[in-house]
Amino acid sequence: MRIDIVTVFPEYLAPARLSLLGKAITAGTLQLHVHDLRDWATDRHRTIDDTPFGGGPGMVMRPDVWGQALDDILVGLPSDTRIVVPTPAGVPFTQRSVEQYVEVPGVILACGRYEGIDERVWEHFGERFAVDQISIGDYVLAGGEVASLVFLEAVARLLPGVLGNEESALDDSFAKQRTGGALEGPVYTKPRSWRGLDVPTVLVSGDHGKVASWRASESTRRTARNRPDLGSLRPEDQE
Ligand code: ADE
């Protein structure tokens, strides 16, 4: 899968080359291209923003700079490349979205800063490409870079061969295989007894059936406590 990220802070994306993502890049499973938006600015000061029409605080990113950047990056990319715009005003980004992005050949992540990007950019490119405005949560970040890292890690770990143990993705919180995409329950390792606290006996019983049903009920319990909104959804509502 190819992912292009356009940002005014390319250094912000340095962690994308570490750990699991770094390995996916080395293995060729993930092709990551980070672009500095200022390379498409046309003036001496490399300006990429201006004051908002209609007034108000802050600055808005210019459509001409973004337009040229996206034109150049899109040359030669498949027509089903998706343009993803992280913004607090976007559609919630969930594990269901992640599963859909894993299937596409490429994504361009357009990182906004300041008050955002001139809306005409999405009107224009939306005529030829799918443009998805996504939000990673109900809070406001300073820009799209951290959200892009979130996107990148969530998607890359589902690419074939990226996780050491393919099955572990099936067990994740929100995994479809878990009843209705609920949360993962608690986990334990050695020592069996620590500071007077013992591992639940069922986990050392060797009875796989009992272990599975204990995990299912812990998952249900945790979901009801931490995320009652998820617990109320039936599996068929999760698509
Ligand atoms: N940019 C700023 N805040 C954001 C959020 N919550 N999600 C995605 N992108 C953002």
Side-chain angles (χ1 to χ4, degrees):
M1 181 177 192
R2 171 170 170 153
I3 298 189
D4 287 77
I5 303 183
V6 190
T7 168
V8 282
F9 294 116
E11 319 85 68
Y12 231 114
L13 279 305
R17 314 224 173 242
L18 300 175
S19 183
L20 200 82
L21 286 170
K23 280 190 206 134
I25 293 169
T26 309
T29 318
L30 175 67
Q31 290 104 48
L32 179 66
H33 300 264
V34 179
H35 310 270
D36 186 344
L37 180 69
R38 288 193 198 277
D39 290 347
W40 283 276
T42 52
D43 66 330
R44 209 159 48 87
H45 303 289
R46 310 224 293 159
T47 307
I48 44 85
D49 58 0
D50 215 318
T51 51
F53 278 120
M59 300 289 268
V60 175
M61 294 178 111
R62 293 177 60 109
D64 48 353
V65 181
W66 269 105
Q68 194 57 55
L70 292 172
D71 281 346
D72 290 350
I73 293 165
L74 282 162
V75 170
L77 294 187
S79 57
D80 49 353
T81 297
R82 297 179 82 102
I83 300 176
V84 173
V85 190
T87 161
V91 171
F93 180 64
T94 67
Q95 193 64 21
R96 294 293 89 76
S97 338
V98 175
E99 287 158 1
Q100 285 165 18
Y101 286 115
V102 176
E103 307 294 333
V104 309
V107 167
I108 299 180
L109 284 154
C111 302
R113 280 264 147 185
Y114 323 113
E115 293 304 306
I117 302 168
D118 189 302
E119 191 65 22
R120 290 169 294 177
V121 177
W122 314 127
E123 256 176 69
H124 174 78
F125 286 95
E127 285 177 7
R128 282 185 298 137
F129 296 92
V131 176
D132 308 329
Q133 297 184 323
I134 61 151
S135 165
I136 63 160
D138 292 342
Y139 38 77
V140 181
L141 303 167
E145 287 76 11
V146 170
S148 290
L149 277 173
V150 167
F151 179 98
L152 204 56
E153 185 160 310
V155 173
R157 63 188 287 286
L158 292 194
L159 292 173
V162 172
L163 285 185
N165 179 358
E166 291 287 331
E167 279 177 25
S168 61
L170 302 180
D171 262 2
D172 287 340
S173 290
F174 309 111
K176 254 199 253 161
Q177 284 77 0
R178 184 177 303 287
T179 333
L183 305 183
E184 196 172 356
V187 294
Y188 301 88
T189 187
K190 294 185 188 72
R192 198 164 151 172
S193 185
W194 176 76
R195 297 192 181 181
L197 300 168
D198 291 339
V199 167
T201 41
V202 59
L203 296 182
V204 291
S205 67
D207 184 331
H208 299 302
K210 272 199 190 141
V211 169
S213 60
W214 180 84
R215 284 187 173 148
S217 71
E218 287 298 309
S219 159
T220 306
R221 202 156 68 98
R222 184 175 275 190
T223 306
R225 191 182 60 212
N226 294 353
R227 292 294 302 275
D229 54 318
L230 288 180
S232 65
L233 292 178
R234 293 166 300 141
E236 55 271 33
D237 295 332
Q238 303 272 312
E239 291 306 312

